[in-house]
Amino acid sequence: MNEIISHEGPAIEEFDELTVMINELACQINENKLAPDEIQNLINKCESLKDQKSIMGHILTKPHGYAGDFHIIDRIYTKEVSSKFPKWDKYSISIPSAKAVRNRKSYFKRKVSQSLKQGGNLLNLASGPARDLYELYNENPQLEIATTCVEMDEKAIMYAKILNKPHLDKIAFIKKNIFRFNTENKFDIIWSAGLFDYFDDKAFVMLIKRLKEWVKDDGEIIIGNFNENYNPNRAYMEFFGDWYLNHRSEEQLYDLAKQAGYDEAKISIGREPENVNLFLHLRK
Ligand SMILES: C[S@@+](CC[C@H](N)C(=O)[O-])C[C@H]1O[C@@H](n2cnc3c(N)ncnc32)[C@H](O)[C@@H]1O
């Protein structure tokens, strides 16, 4: 590990080895065989982790005040590698958890373009950079979908509006914490990725109960959540990025949906090709 740090990041052929090393370090800490200080020493040696220009440095230093902001998510989507830390950034965008984030955008586009071929309305909770919408509308100019985005970070909304300039006639942004949002409208699809894994189970259940009021009788709710049973980069995110998410298994997602009053027959689970992100599908 020290050698990789002294070489300013891993070479491509060292990527898998680095992932194994990081997971081994995390195991040793969890089993109290290694003091957490050892990780801090490694972090202190990594210049990239102190600098927002690197992807992991951005995640760790949280320039917008929270992990997983619109800017870093968009850098993962667009595979933006800094010229200052190319080796570290290439690693950060190529790992399964980053691929899963890109895959969830494809999952969204496929699902929405197929289900709403004839048009309809979409509620997008915590829209972040809204690159998923930008690509959806660009790739399907014939789609007649009206989207409402609820997002609490004003800067994320500004960024998303600039990106989506050609499609603003179809997208409305509401700046609101989702827990304070309410609407009389009913939607064909309610989509949320990268939000519910920040919530504890109580908040998760409370919110999916409310979503039932906002979805049409034949509509669908889709919630993304990192997979408790598979994320080979969880230790990298947590130890090196201070990015803690509530990972959940398929069974846990089923259970939370049942706690919120959804009938078992109306619950299903999807996954993206990396199996790092799961999608809870709910119908009324
Ligand atoms: C990880 S990003 C996900 C963005 C987008 N859904 C995507 O997948 O590309 C998380 C976003 O959730 C927003 N967010 C977090 N908590 C929220 C809340 N309680 N209400 C509304 N937005 C929230 C953040 O501001 C941020 O833009």
Side-chain angles (χ1 to χ4, degrees):
M1 187 84 152
N2 279 311
E3 206 179 312
I4 289 179
I5 293 173
S6 69
H7 289 153
E8 295 179 350
I12 291 173
E13 55 280 11
E14 290 172 322
F15 282 6
D16 290 344
E17 195 188 331
L18 175 61
T19 301
V20 170
M21 271 191 262
I22 292 169
N23 287 329
E24 183 57 33
L25 278 176
C27 270
Q28 290 186 11
I29 288 181
N30 291 338
E31 291 167 7
N32 292 324
K33 290 182 188 157
L34 195 72
D37 288 359
E38 297 288 336
I39 292 265
Q40 197 51 52
N41 291 341
L42 285 173
I43 290 175
N44 292 344
K45 282 186 209 164
C46 274
E47 284 310 309
S48 60
L49 290 176
K50 296 173 199 150
D51 194 326
Q52 285 172 28
K53 288 200 178 75
S54 83
I55 289 180
M56 216 51 188
H58 183 115
I59 291 170
L60 187 64
T61 57
K62 303 184 180 66
H64 299 285
Y66 59 96
D69 61 61
F70 63 96
H71 192 191
I72 206 62
I73 296 295
D74 210 33
R75 280 186 69 181
I76 294 171
Y77 283 150
T78 56
K79 301 187 185 176
E80 190 194 310
V81 171
S82 71
S83 53
K84 200 169 170 192
F85 303 104
K87 284 168 138 188
W88 282 116
D89 279 356
K90 278 181 191 156
Y91 175 73
S92 299
I93 59 161
S94 73
I95 54 181
S97 59
K99 285 184 186 157
V101 168
R102 290 192 290 275
N103 287 344
R104 79 182 181 211
K105 174 162 60 61
S106 309
Y107 193 96
F108 165 83
K109 289 190 287 178
R110 195 166 48 248
K111 177 70 203 172
V112 174
S113 60
Q114 282 170 3
S115 299
L116 301 186
K117 259 194 212 117
Q118 312 300 333
N121 60 355
L122 166 72
L123 179 63
N124 182 3
L125 306 179
S127 45
R131 187 163 293 273
D132 41 10
L133 282 172
Y134 170 74
E135 291 183 8
L136 174 79
Y137 284 121
N138 266 4
E139 291 163 20
N140 303 277
Q142 78 292 352
L143 280 184
E144 289 295 332
I145 300 174
T147 302
T148 303
C149 295
V150 182
E151 164 61 57
M152 74 176 183
D153 182 347
E154 193 157 15
K155 282 183 276 173
I157 294 181
M158 274 165 58
Y159 186 96
K161 277 188 174 171
I162 292 169
L163 180 65
N164 280 282
K165 203 164 170 215
H167 312 301
L168 288 181
D169 55 328
K170 291 176 177 155
I171 310 173
F173 288 91
I174 298 174
K175 185 196 167 305
K176 203 129 201 148
N177 183 329
I178 187 58
F179 292 101
R180 295 176 190 276
F181 172 76
N182 204 357
T183 178
E184 295 294 311
N185 292 336
K186 305 271 182 205
F187 295 87
D188 294 291
I189 293 185
I190 301 180
W191 165 268
S192 192
L195 178 69
F196 279 72
D197 19 32
Y198 288 87
F199 300 153
D200 63 17
D201 287 355
K202 198 171 156 221
F204 192 114
V205 170
M206 190 179 90
L207 198 49
I208 58 173
K209 264 187 195 166
R210 299 200 69 200
L211 299 188
K212 206 186 263 189
E213 295 164 22
W214 306 336
V215 72
K216 288 184 184 167
D217 287 343
D218 58 350
E220 189 172 8
I221 299 162
I222 311 168
I223 310 286
N225 204 110
F226 271 74
N227 185 354
E228 168 71 22
N229 291 334
Y230 188 71
N231 179 4
N233 311 112
R234 186 170 181 171
Y236 184 56
M237 291 165 67
E238 292 182 349
F239 286 105
F240 293 88
D242 192 30
W243 193 358
Y244 288 86
L245 294 174
N246 289 312
H247 289 55
R248 293 185 170 96
S249 65
E250 205 168 326
E251 294 72 28
Q252 285 169 307
L253 291 171
Y254 259 101
D255 187 52
L256 294 175
K258 281 194 266 176
Q259 283 180 43
Y262 288 86
D263 194 293
E264 185 147 9
K266 307 286 178 148
I267 309 171
S268 63
I269 307 280
R271 63 193 72 239
E272 45 73 37
E274 293 292 326
N275 191 26
V276 174
N277 275 190
L278 299 178
F279 300 93
L280 173 63
H281 290 246
L282 301 169
R283 289 183 176 277
K284 283 218 253 193

